[in-house]
Amino acid sequence: MTGEWDFRGIDAGEELPDIDTSVPHSARIYDYILGGKDNFAVDRQAAAKAMAANPHLATAMRENRALMRRMVAWLAQEAGVRQFLDIGTGLPTSPNVHEIVQAAAPEARVVYVDNDPIVLTHARALLTSSPEGATTYVHADLRDPGKILSDPRLLSTLDLSQPVALTLFAVLQFIPDADDPWGIVARLVGALPSGSYLALQHPTRDFYPDGVGNDRAYRNAGIAFQYRTKDEFARFVAGLELVPPGIQLMSQWRAEQEPQPRPSAAEAAAYGAIARKP
Ligand SMILES: C[S@@+](CC[C@H](N)C(=O)[O-])C[C@H]1O[C@@H](n2cnc3c(N)ncnc32)[C@H](O)[C@@H]1O
């Protein structure tokens, strides 16, 4: 499949799931706040309420994209990773993960995963691999790691005996404690060989005064949303080796080359870290 667009599961006669425009979706709210066009009136209304509750939300989302770019570039350039599993990909937003890693290593292979039907319908934009590498898209739920790990598209794109970078940017807040996000991450990392990496971004309310935050606006819109503390974030990387500078505010993680001054803790209230599987 090297260098070819892999449409299996996208237009190979498989029926696309319906797009529900009567309820807001997190991918479309995010797309709207980042200035995209793939959103509906319900998403824009939910976004307005979330931004009213947290005036820094747009800054935080832009900082998340910047963190993703820095982390993925570090994984490809400094750590030499050539395989990526990106879960909770979102609507295509350039530069996408494969564009960043294949600029450094054209032979790199990237599997994207999301559970939102609208991301599936736009997945072609994620499948523009370099000829030397490969990209594919898997429509699946992070809460079902067994299904993700056994998907034939994933298995024909990634060699799970070689190191993989698992990237989870701004997605774990949508997995409530009751669904055991720590167990899900451990299961995914457990399937990867030594020398693999986990790159994470997770919003926190550690820096907000009481009552500030967009979590309630999301929940009122029917979307599970949970902030996590630094200790709760640290549980995701337990047993792994933190890459310097460790768990940081997302606006600070290896951000020396970014425009200064960096957004404050309140403006970019999320943690980021990369950890290596020993
Ligand atoms: C805020 S966006 C983040 C997109 C991208 N990772 C980024 O950082 O720019 C969250 C994405 O996670 C996806 N998502 C939420 N819950 C999910 C789940 N249980 N399984 C898979 N994807 C999920 C949403 O559909 C959405 O596309």
Side-chain angles (χ1 to χ4, degrees):
M1 197 189 47
T2 302
E4 288 171 9
W5 289 17
D6 177 7
F7 287 132
R8 278 170 297 165
I10 296 171
D11 64 356
E14 209 171 288
E15 233 174 78
L16 292 174
D18 285 340
I19 308 288
D20 187 346
T21 59
S22 68
V23 292
H25 280 228
S26 64
R28 298 176 339 211
I29 295 173
Y30 185 64
D31 174 74
Y32 171 66
I33 298 177
L34 284 177
K37 293 188 174 57
D38 298 306
N39 48 73
F40 301 95
V42 283
D43 307 308
R44 296 189 283 274
Q45 283 155 13
K49 287 183 184 158
M51 287 192 287
N54 175 6
H56 303 306
L57 188 56
T59 302
M61 288 180 171
R62 284 193 294 270
E63 279 299 309
N64 172 59
R65 289 301 294 183
L67 178 76
M68 183 279 278
R69 291 195 293 271
R70 295 197 300 278
M71 286 190 161
V72 166
W74 184 89
L75 287 162
Q77 291 168 10
E78 307 295 328
V81 182
R82 296 292 176 264
Q83 305 194 101
F84 289 76
L85 173 55
D86 180 61
I87 307 180
T89 296
L91 282 154
T93 306
S94 197
N96 297 292
V97 169
H98 74 283
E99 293 163 329
I100 300 165
V101 303
Q102 290 183 342
E107 74 278 22
R109 308 174 77 80
V110 180
V111 173
Y112 292 111
V113 180
D114 205 290
N115 72 340
D116 191 323
I118 198 162
V119 181
L120 176 62
T121 64
H122 287 77
R124 277 182 193 81
L126 298 169
L127 302 177
T128 54
S129 175
S130 63
E132 303 89 339
T135 60
T136 195
Y137 182 81
V138 175
H139 181 68
D141 196 305
L142 175 55
R143 288 166 294 184
D144 193 351
K147 183 172 176 225
I148 294 173
L149 291 166
S150 62
D151 187 282
R153 286 172 285 256
L154 181 148
L155 294 173
S156 65
T157 306
L158 302 181
D159 174 356
L160 295 184
S161 71
Q162 297 299 315
V164 174
L166 169 64
T167 56
L168 296 166
F169 290 101
V171 61
L172 286 167
Q173 71 269 30
F174 300 116
I175 312 291
D177 285 1
D179 288 332
D180 189 15
W182 297 278
I184 292 169
V185 171
R187 172 91 191 277
L188 290 164
V189 172
L192 306 179
S194 166
S196 293
Y197 287 86
L198 170 64
L200 282 184
Q201 186 271 17
H202 199 303
T204 184
R205 73 176 328 141
D206 286 357
F207 308 101
Y208 290 142
D210 283 353
V212 177
N214 45 269
D215 51 340
R216 198 176 309 159
Y218 271 78
R219 285 198 296 272
N220 286 345
I223 301 168
F225 188 110
Q226 199 162 346
Y227 286 115
R228 295 203 163 90
T229 65
K230 191 171 188 182
D231 286 348
E232 289 169 327
F233 183 99
R235 285 176 57 198
F236 288 115
V237 291
L240 306 176
E241 297 164 350
L242 278 171
V243 168
I247 301 171
Q248 293 281 307
L249 268 178
M250 70 169 161
S251 54
Q252 296 295 339
W253 192 94
R254 292 183 184 250
E256 296 77 13
Q257 307 302 319
E258 298 280 12
Q260 306 289 333
R262 307 297 301 132
S264 67
E267 289 166 333
Y271 293 112
I274 294 184
R276 182 180 180 277
K277 183 172 177 179

